[in-house]
Structures are given as C-alpha cells and as structure tokens.
Amino acid sequence: MKTSLRWSLFFFLTPVLLWLFLLIVLPHIDLLIMSFRMDTDDGKTIWTLSNYLNFFHEPIYWLTFVRTAVYSIIVTLLTLVITFPLAFYITKVVGLRFQGFFMTIILMPFWVSELVRVYGWMILLRESGVINHFLLKFGLLRHPVEMLYHDSTMIMGLVYTSMLFMVVPLISVLESLDDGLIEAAYDLGANMWHILFKIIIPHAVPGIVSGCIVVFMLTLGNYLTPNLMGGKNSLWFTEQIYNEFIASFNWNQGAAFGFLLLVLSSLVIWAGLKMSGQKLSQVVQ
Amino acid sequence: MQIALSVQNVIKKFGDFTAVDNVSFEVPDGGFFSILGPSGCGKTTLLRMISGFIEPSAGRIEIRGRDMAGLSPNKRPVNLIFQNLALFPMMSVAENVAFGLQRRREKKEVIEQKVAEILARVGLPGFGEKKIHQLSGGQKQRVAIARCLVLEPAVLLLDEPLGALDLKLREQMKVELKKLQAQVGTTFVYITHDQSEALVMSDKVAVMNSGRFEQIDTPPNLYNNPKTPFVARFVGDNNTWSGRIIACTQEGPGEIVAEIETAEGERFRVRSTDRFAPGAGVDLFLRPESMLIEPDADIADLNRFQVVVKSILFDGANSRLLANPLTADTELLIALPQNRQYDYIQPGDKIAIGWHAQAGICFPKV
Ligand SMILES: Nc1ncnc2c1ncn2[C@@H]1O[C@H](COP(=O)(O)OP(=O)(O)OP(=O)(O)O)[C@@H](O)[C@H]1O
Ligand SMILES: [Mg+2]
C-alpha cells in the first residue's frame, strides 16, 4: 500500500520536476553564469561584474528600469481600482443568470492574440484612426491628434490587457463572500464606505493580492504592448533586454538585465505580501 | 405601556405573489413576541421589512411611534439576528461586538467597557480575543446576540437563531434566551417554525400561514383555544376526525356545545366555534393528551368510545398509542402516560377511551 503510493507519487512528480528543471532551473543557471562573463577584445571569455556595473553607470538603463517598475505598479493599482467594482457588480449585483454572460464579454477580447488586440487599439487611436475621424467629422477637433505613443496610452493598453487576470481572482474571492455579512454590517449601522473597507476588502485581500501579483508580473514582463503603443520615448525594460540579446548580440549583458528584472519583481512582490500581511502559499491557492 | 413596534396592515408582493398579506400587530416595550409559521410562510420577509431591507408594498411600520418608511437599515433603531448569524469571520469576537458602536463613533474606552460588559452578560467573559472560527455553535449564537444587544436597540429581531443548533443545545439556549431577555428588558421579535420555542419563550405568539396571521394570542390560549383549524393543527399535536352536526346548544355566553356524529357513527358532545346548522360537516380536533385511557365509569359528562390498539409508540414522556376506533380505520394518537399504570396494554387490545366535551373543538369542514 505504502510503496504503491510512493510509486504513484514518483510517477506523477517526475515529469513536473523534470519540466521545472529543464525549462526553468537549467536555463536560469546558464543565464546566471552568462551574466557574470564577458567576451574580451582578444576573443577570450572572462569572469566579471561589469555587466551589472554597466547597469548602474548608464542612466538610460536604470532610468528605464525604475520607470518600468513604477509604471507596472501604477498599472497594477489602476487595474485593481477599475476591476474591483466590476467584479463586485458581476458577483453581487447582477443576478446569477447574467453572470455567465458578463464573464463571456470580459473573456471575449482574450480569444484573439495580444498582437491583434493592440492593433485594434492602434486602429482606434492613431492619427488617421477611427476616433480622430469622428472627432473631426463632428467638428470637435480641427486637426487630427496623435493619441498613440504616449505613456498614458501605453498604460491604458496595459491595464486593458491585465484586466482579465485581475477580474478572475476577484470574482472568485467575492463569490465566497456571504451577502449576509454585508447586510449584517448595514443593519449594525455601517454605511457604504464602512462596508467596503471593513467587510468587503478585508475578505477580498487574498484575491486582491493574487490578482496584483499576476498583473504586476505580466506587466513587468510585457513586451508587445509597451513596444507598439508606447512609441520611441517610452522605453520598457524588456525592450532593453531584447535589444541586448537581438540587436547588440550581447547575451551576457542581456542575461544580467534579465536577472535584475527577476530580482525586481521578487522584491516588489515580497514587499506587497509583507504590506498586506499575506503568505504566498495562501494567495496562490 | 409604550408600544415598541407597531405593524399596521403591511403587505408585501413579489410580482403576483403575496408573501405577506395584510399583517398587523403591536409589541409593547420589553415584550417577547414570536411569529410561528411553517417554512415559506413569509416570516423572514416580514422581519426584513421591519429591519428595512425591503420596503412594504403597502402598510405602515412604526418603531416607538416613529414611522420607518424610507429609512434604510443602518438608520433604524432595530437590529436583526440573521438565520445564519452572519458573524464577521475576519474580526475577533470583541471586534464583532464593537462593530456597531464604532459606527456610532463612540469613545474607545466606552466601547471597550460596553463590549466587556455585554460579553459577560451573555456568558462569554474574556472571549474577546478569540476568532469566530474558534467558537462552538452555541458560543457563536451568543456573540451574535451580544453584537446586537450592545447597541441597545428598541427592538431586537431574531430570525430562527436556534435553527442551526442541535436539539440539546437548542433546549438550553431557549431557556437562556428567555432569561437574557427578561434581564436586559429589550423587546424581542422572534421568528421560528418550532412551536416549542415560541410557546416556551413568548408573551404573545402570532401564528402565520401563507402570508397571513391566523391568530395572535398568549401561548396557553393558542394551545387551548385555537381560532382556526390551521392553528389547531400547527400548534401542538392534534387528531382530526370528521363528522357532522346533529344539534348545537348555547350553554353560556360564548360557549356553544355541538352534538356531532362521526363518520363511524360515534356520537360526541364537543365545544364548537360557531352555531352550525344540523347536518353541516365539521372537523373535530382532539389532542392526544385530552383522551383518557380506561376512565372510571363514574366520571360524568365524558364522551366515551372504544378503540383497538395498533401499536405503542414509545418516546419517554411523549409516548403514544396508535389506535383505531372499532368501526373504522381513522388513526388516533392517544397519549400514554409512563406511570406504569398502563403497562399491561398490548397491540391488539380493545380499550375504552373517554374525553371531556371542553377538551376537543370543532371547526367547519373546509
Ligand atoms: N425576493 C423575492 N422574490 C420573490 N419571492 C420571494 C422573495 N423573497 C421571498 N420570496 C417568497 O416569499 C415566500 C416567503 O419567504 P420567506 O423567506 O419570508 O419565508 P420564511 O417564512 O422565512 O421561510 P423559512 O422558515 O424557510 O425561512 C416564499 O415563498 C419565497 O419564495
Ligand atoms: Mg426565513
């Protein structure tokens, strides 16, 4: 009995461990080694810290880095603020009958690839795009304005892309909130804000944190949306990594950047968990 | 005495369906009023109208003389204990109890003192730091009560608060709740489908059936003088026996005695609710404990008949005989006192039964 259990555990765990090792651990070890090495002019490869030092010496690198971090946090918070009322509305206000309908509507944009979605935004927003066309037609504008390639457009695009990953954990956590608690609080004299901050949000913390972690990681690591919607002067750190790998062929530098990004996301998530008093294992559930 | 709660001609309709149909009652300050009715009869709907979660379609609700129309639940001087208690799991016991006081912006020291006092009062001193999930069912019950009582509401509404507890605990809480109510003097409106809860605790009980109040009365009156067949059937156990009127006689003010003949041909004299015409169909209600087994021959004025014992339903103090009258298969439940006097009775025995005309009651057949 015991041995058969052990065997089945072994049987199911092996592919998972193998997958983890081959696709995650191994490449990362390789990248880590690579990030501490450099090709010298005379064709030799030496151990060095210069890839990391470069990052701190070149303002463009760490400025992009900080920018990416700050914008990712902003995107995460914006997504939360926009999605929370939506999730509440879907779970508690709309009847059960329409819940599926609303979920489908939210899911629908995600049936197409991110590229197509971003392209959709571009059709809407560009100088010769749909919105400009109508604004001109109704005489609200004299000359078309370029709405793409601003930081605000990029943030909007990122928020849009992230909403699904926030709304799903929020809906599941709000669904588990007993309506009776809201009514009881109301009966005991609470107004809308008390109910929100004393009952609903404390109950929803695990969902909020897990949604935020996912959205933050996806935004930080997003390449397509900042690249296409942000334009030339809103650089995202993933673009820097891409440039090092593909444009400059400097894999060692790219690997170092990749590791810095990993450290950054781990740090921010750790700080977020500390602040909300949650444990990773609880949140992931 | 001041009227704490007055409900006047309240109606609630959900579309075509009338959940609460023209209900009126008053509860004096400090009273314990119960609403007793089967599941789905509109009890919760009525309570939710009093607490303000739903607006009545028509009628008026006054609390201490003040009209409550248009006032939201957080503005009403009533508190509701929910069917599932609805304690806040993210807060400790003390935070739960303090919740309402904090909403009133009372001072921190005052809150702490009141919370400690009320927790002691409901028998949970020192439980403040515990989490809700660490409490037993009965303790949760008390926290829910404390959470409302600490606000000193004009009326405390309780929606089947003992429903989730097991039988033993329910018996115990029943007594405690009554004691607590007498101590704090808060007006209680208590709804339940358990007649024993209603009868034991209340000053007045309203029996509710499909949205209407059938009768509002004291527990003994409800039991002894039911005004409608529904009340006779719902409150306590009753045997129903159909028959027809032979004659009705007025034997005093408001006291009518009918002579009836049952379908089996037995003739009885029984208290009647009205002067029925001879030949009218009636239902005779007879409580198991009002039938005497083998009564002495010299007791006058007894209706007497014979039954065949089918089986003995032993249930301690609540034991019954299941029996048929000689000539028919109407089933009767007859109380079987466990005083060893009747130990000789066996299934299949033929025994004599007697009952007093005032112990039964007859209603027109519906
Ligand atoms: N929002 C609503 N819409 C339509 N019908 C409703 C609504 N709320 C309650 N009802 C109906 O009103 C009737 C009374 O419901 P209510 O909840 O008051 O019953 P209850 O007496 O409390 O029953 P229970 O003892 O089972 O709690 C039920 O038939 C129910 O289906
Ligand atoms: Mg109910």
Side-chain angles (χ1 to χ4, degrees):
Chain A
M1 186 60 212
K2 243 200 167 132
T3 47
S4 79
L5 197 76
R6 197 173 299 159
W7 271 106
S8 66
L9 194 71
F10 181 75
F11 183 78
F12 286 112
L13 225 52
T14 311
V16 177
L17 289 178
L18 214 66
W19 175 76
L20 269 177
F21 182 74
L22 286 179
L23 278 155
I24 306 207
V25 179
L26 207 61
H28 272 87
I29 292 174
D30 192 39
L31 278 175
L32 188 64
I33 293 171
M34 213 188 275
S35 73
F36 285 106
R37 293 178 73 87
M38 193 176 76
D39 292 326
T40 54
D41 293 336
D42 47 356
K44 275 192 285 184
T45 312
I46 55 162
W47 292 97
T48 173
L49 274 178
S50 67
N51 295 322
Y52 288 94
L53 292 176
N54 273 344
F55 170 81
F56 293 101
H57 290 152
E58 281 292 339
I60 179 79
Y61 290 152
W62 59 262
L63 276 178
T64 317
F65 189 76
V66 171
R67 223 178 84 89
T68 308
V70 171
Y71 274 18
S72 295
I73 292 172
I74 292 176
V75 166
T76 307
L77 294 181
L78 266 180
T79 314
L80 177 64
V81 170
I82 294 171
T83 320
F84 199 86
L86 187 72
F88 187 80
Y89 186 77
I90 292 176
T91 43
K92 296 292 170 199
V93 184
V94 177
L96 266 179
R97 264 189 306 153
F98 295 106
Q99 239 174 57
F101 171 73
F102 271 84
M103 277 312 283
T104 318
I105 286 198
I106 292 177
L107 269 171
M108 209 122 77
F110 291 83
W111 288 349
V112 299
S113 80
E114 194 184 356
L115 192 65
V116 177
R117 252 177 294 144
V118 174
Y119 190 64
W121 277 116
M122 294 174 80
I123 291 178
L124 280 181
L125 295 176
R126 69 175 171 219
E127 216 172 338
S128 55
V130 177
I131 292 181
N132 267 314
H133 176 78
F134 280 105
L135 287 179
L136 285 174
K137 197 166 168 189
F138 293 118
L140 291 170
L141 282 182
R142 282 175 186 224
H143 306 286
V145 277
E146 181 56 88
M147 297 182 197
L148 277 177
Y149 315 128
H150 298 296
D151 284 358
S152 50
T153 346
M154 179 184 75
I155 286 180
M156 188 194 64
L158 284 169
V159 167
Y160 174 72
T161 309
S162 312
M163 268 172 48
L164 179 74
F165 303 98
M166 190 66 95
V167 91
V168 169
L170 285 184
I171 282 185
S172 84
V173 80
L174 285 178
E175 232 157 29
S176 69
L177 174 66
D178 176 10
D179 294 357
L181 297 187
I182 298 176
E183 288 185 341
Y186 197 25
D187 184 65
L188 292 169
N191 62 26
M192 211 180 74
W193 298 110
H194 295 140
I195 294 175
L196 180 64
F197 286 106
K198 297 276 173 189
I199 309 291
I200 300 175
I201 291 184
H203 176 88
V205 165
I208 293 175
V209 174
S210 75
C212 284
I213 289 178
V214 173
V215 167
F216 177 77
M217 290 201 290
L218 286 177
T219 308
L220 200 67
N222 197 327
Y223 175 75
L224 210 58
T225 308
N227 200 17
L228 291 180
M229 292 179 75
K232 281 288 154 286
N233 40 16
S234 25
L235 259 183
W236 208 249
F237 199 65
T238 46
E239 290 172 56
Q240 300 277 25
I241 300 176
Y242 176 86
N243 285 344
E244 293 305 330
F245 273 114
I246 306 298
S248 331
F249 256 119
N250 189 347
W251 279 51
N252 308 71
Q253 186 66 65
F257 284 179
F259 261 90
L260 285 166
L261 199 63
L262 182 69
V263 170
L264 173 70
S265 70
S266 312
L267 270 179
V268 172
I269 288 167
W270 176 81
L273 286 173
K274 266 271 137 25
M275 275 198 298
S276 61
Q278 294 287 305
K279 294 208 177 62
L280 190 62
S281 55
Q282 282 174 338
V283 168
V284 172
Q285 272 176 3
Chain B
M1 197 182 289
Q2 208 194 347
I3 297 298
L5 171 69
S6 154
V7 172
Q8 299 157 14
N9 306 97
V10 163
I11 297 175
K12 179 68 202 178
K13 290 194 161 128
F14 295 113
D16 288 341
F17 176 73
T18 310
V20 174
D21 193 0
N22 203 9
V23 163
S24 303
F25 64 95
E26 281 183 349
V27 188
D29 240 343
F32 196 126
F33 187 87
S34 289
I35 300 169
L36 173 65
S39 184
C41 72
K43 304 182 297 289
T44 300
T45 309
L46 179 58
L47 224 54
R48 289 173 70 83
M49 284 193 281
I50 299 171
S51 54
F53 286 105
I54 46 184
E55 278 292 310
S57 311
R60 194 177 158 88
I61 295 169
E62 282 176 11
I63 293 165
R64 292 212 167 126
R66 203 151 66 90
D67 187 8
M68 287 291 123
L71 234 57
S72 56
N74 54 354
K75 302 261 159 44
R76 295 192 182 198
V78 294
N79 288 111
L80 175 60
I81 293 181
F82 289 74
Q83 218 157 353
N84 63 357
L85 303 185
L87 296 175
F88 306 132
M90 57 291 242
M91 302 179 196
S92 68
V93 169
E95 286 169 328
N96 262 280
V97 178
F99 187 86
L101 295 172
Q102 282 164 352
R103 303 289 77 77
R104 289 185 186 171
R105 303 177 172 284
E106 295 204 19
K107 282 212 200 70
K108 202 156 171 279
E109 311 85 66
V110 178
I111 293 180
E112 271 170 20
Q113 192 199 339
K114 283 189 178 175
V115 168
E117 264 173 30
I118 199 77
L119 281 179
R121 173 138 271 177
V122 297
L124 295 175
F127 272 65
E129 294 312 310
K130 287 226 165 126
K131 287 276 176 213
I132 297 302
H133 65 85
Q134 295 171 319
L135 302 180
S136 72
Q139 290 168 341
K140 284 183 187 159
Q141 196 66 61
R142 290 163 215 234
V143 175
I145 293 167
R147 188 172 72 170
C148 290
L149 278 185
V150 78
L151 298 175
E152 293 163 12
V155 180
L156 182 64
L157 309 169
L158 302 99
D159 189 350
E160 301 190 30
L162 307 186
L165 304 182
D166 58 59
L167 189 66
K168 257 274 177 310
L169 193 54
R170 206 151 66 206
E171 294 297 317
Q172 185 191 336
M173 285 300 292
K174 207 150 69 181
V175 180
E176 275 185 31
L177 208 55
K178 177 69 194 160
K179 272 199 275 186
L180 186 69
Q181 192 265 343
Q183 271 175 27
V184 295
T186 308
T187 312
F188 275 34
V189 174
Y190 186 98
I191 68 180
T192 177
H193 57 247
D194 181 312
Q195 45 156 318
S196 141
E197 285 174 23
L199 297 180
V200 168
M201 293 192 278
S202 323
D203 305 325
K204 280 261 176 97
V205 179
V207 178
M208 194 172 184
N209 180 27
S210 47
R212 291 168 175 280
F213 274 8
E214 299 256 338
Q215 184 174 355
I216 306 178
D217 228 323
T218 60
N221 261 338
L222 217 51
Y223 192 80
N224 295 321
N225 305 313
K227 291 277 184 296
T228 68
F230 179 83
V231 176
R233 245 183 230 121
F234 194 72
V235 180
D237 289 322
N238 242 326
N239 293 297
T240 320
W241 209 343
S242 61
R244 94 184 30 256
I245 298 279
I246 293 172
C248 282
T249 45
Q250 187 89 33
E251 304 220 326
E255 202 184 310
I256 304 163
V257 172
E259 180 149 9
I260 65 170
E261 188 179 67
T262 66
E264 294 83 23
E266 308 277 3
R267 287 206 171 197
F268 298 130
R269 283 164 53 75
V270 60
R271 178 167 55 124
S272 171
T273 48
D274 207 347
R275 292 195 69 139
F276 302 110
V282 289
D283 276 329
L284 163 65
F285 289 93
L286 202 51
R287 294 207 184 274
E289 72 272 19
S290 51
M291 284 185 268
L292 310 173
I293 299 170
E294 302 283 5
D296 284 348
D298 53 346
I299 306 178
D301 279 348
L302 277 191
N303 292 303
R304 291 169 192 267
F305 64 109
Q306 299 241 307
V307 295
V308 178
V309 175
K310 257 174 83 180
S311 56
I312 295 166
L313 312 173
F314 182 79
D315 182 15
N318 200 22
S319 299
R320 311 285 175 82
L321 288 178
L322 185 64
N324 295 134
L326 282 189
T327 48
D329 45 43
T330 311
E331 282 191 342
L332 294 176
L333 283 171
I334 300 160
L336 182 65
Q338 289 301 305
N339 51 13
R340 321 300 311 241
Q341 195 186 337
Y342 303 110
D343 284 2
Y344 63 89
I345 296 177
Q346 296 297 328
D349 286 359
K350 196 171 7 158
I351 55 172
I353 297 294
W355 56 277
H356 199 269
Q358 290 298 321
I361 190 161
C362 70
F363 290 99
K365 209 174 184 61
V366 277

